[in-house]
Amino acid sequence: MASSDQDLVPVLDKDGVRLTVDDAIATVTLANPAKRNAQSPALWRALTEAGRQLPGSVRVVVLRAEGKSFSAGLDRQAFTPEGFDGEPSFVDLARGADAELDATIAEYQEAFTWWRRSDIVSVAAVQGHAIGAGFQLALACDLRVVADDVQFAMRETSLGLVPDLTGTHPLVGLVGYARALEICVTGRFVAAEEAVNTGLANLAVPAGQLDDAVRDFASAVLAAPRDAVIETKALLRGAQDRTYEEQRAAERQSQARRLRDLAGVGD
């Protein structure tokens, strides 16, 4: 994956984010290894833009990172009085009106929301540290393939904050309330074996095999008809909010659409 990504002309390349597209597969790369892909508002805006620039041909989006760490989390410069150049500091935001602060956080969250769109399947390839915002970005994807050196951690609570970049919902859904609470409030590391055993990761492989494993995942997704994948993803995504009987009905409705499409019969 890494070599092909480097060979393609980027659709987007700014603020530590690079987007390349190879037919049905798009690759979003965190491309600031010197700072361990630490995150900033500018990076979040670039991630949001990457989602908006995906061509309609894309079926699989791979999220990967250059360097030894997937992402060390939020750039600590955000907590300094100066903040980032051209950006309000977090101190300034905290002093602002509630509505303004809420709108700003909502804007930041947009970088983490589009990965679960029904028309794509997103796969995070995670190596090394994925801390705080890095952990939440990996959680934003549908699937996670990890290197055997992965270290997930949710450090926000330890810093007096809460995870606010959409990570709490998928975390509870994957590992359950009790383990999610323990992971968040202790800030401890979750390594590869535990990640797979608890459902945080779909697969763990040696670091040198990470790109090949993600490529295999992408190929498997592309082997199924696109419309069937879209319907299945929507069906599964909605299951947790439906009763058993409601899910049965949703299955029937989805299957009816698929059968009509296969038979060439309109609704």
Side-chain angles (χ1 to χ4, degrees), residues 9-252:
V9 176
V11 175
L12 175 74
D13 194 356
K14 62 187 294 188
D15 297 319
V17 175
R18 183 171 63 248
L19 167 66
T20 57
V21 178
D22 185 6
D23 193 20
I25 301 177
T27 302
V28 177
T29 302
L30 304 181
N32 190 6
K35 296 196 74 172
R36 295 198 299 159
N37 299 306
Q39 299 182 30
S40 66
L43 180 141
W44 294 332
R45 285 193 291 271
L47 284 174
T48 300
E49 186 176 346
R52 292 172 179 164
Q53 291 198 22
L54 290 181
S57 61
V58 170
R59 294 183 55 192
V60 176
V61 181
V62 173
L63 171 64
R64 60 180 300 277
E66 294 180 347
K68 294 183 178 180
S69 293
F70 178 77
S71 174
L74 181 63
D75 191 322
R76 293 299 180 91
Q77 188 174 339
F79 296 105
T80 64
E82 299 79 16
F84 302 100
D85 291 340
E87 303 275 356
S89 71
F90 280 19
V91 174
D92 291 335
L93 288 173
R95 291 171 176 160
D98 288 348
E100 181 182 356
L101 181 57
D102 184 80
T104 299
I105 296 174
E107 179 187 353
Y108 296 162
Q109 289 176 330
E110 290 181 13
F112 297 75
T113 58
W114 62 265
W115 304 90
R116 291 182 177 244
R117 281 169 28 185
S118 61
D119 60 323
I120 60 172
V121 174
S122 54
V123 186
V126 188
Q127 79 280 2
H129 291 99
I131 298 173
F135 191 5
Q136 294 186 77
L137 187 55
L139 285 167
C141 292
D142 296 310
L143 308 172
R144 280 154 296 283
V145 180
V146 301
D148 55 9
D149 66 349
V150 75
Q151 294 282 303
F152 289 117
M154 201 74 84
R155 290 289 174 80
E156 286 83 352
T157 309
S158 302
L159 297 172
L161 303 170
V162 299
D164 66 337
L165 296 172
T166 79
T168 57
H169 189 276
L171 181 62
V172 171
L174 290 166
V175 305
Y177 161 74
R179 191 178 294 269
L181 177 63
E182 178 248 327
I183 287 171
C184 289
V185 301
T186 66
R188 70 174 178 85
F189 285 118
V190 178
E193 182 177 2
E194 182 183 355
V196 172
N197 289 342
T198 58
L200 276 175
N202 297 84
L203 178 69
V205 297
Q209 299 176 20
L210 185 60
D211 287 339
D212 288 340
V214 173
R215 187 180 295 111
D216 289 343
F217 263 59
S219 298
V221 172
L222 295 177
R226 179 170 194 163
D227 288 345
V229 173
I230 291 173
E231 287 276 1
T232 301
K233 179 174 178 178
L235 189 64
L236 294 174
R237 287 278 294 149
Q240 61 187 344
D241 298 321
R242 302 187 188 105
T243 65
Y244 178 74
E245 291 302 326
E246 289 170 343
Q247 185 69 4
R248 286 182 61 202
E251 289 175 356
R252 296 195 299 271

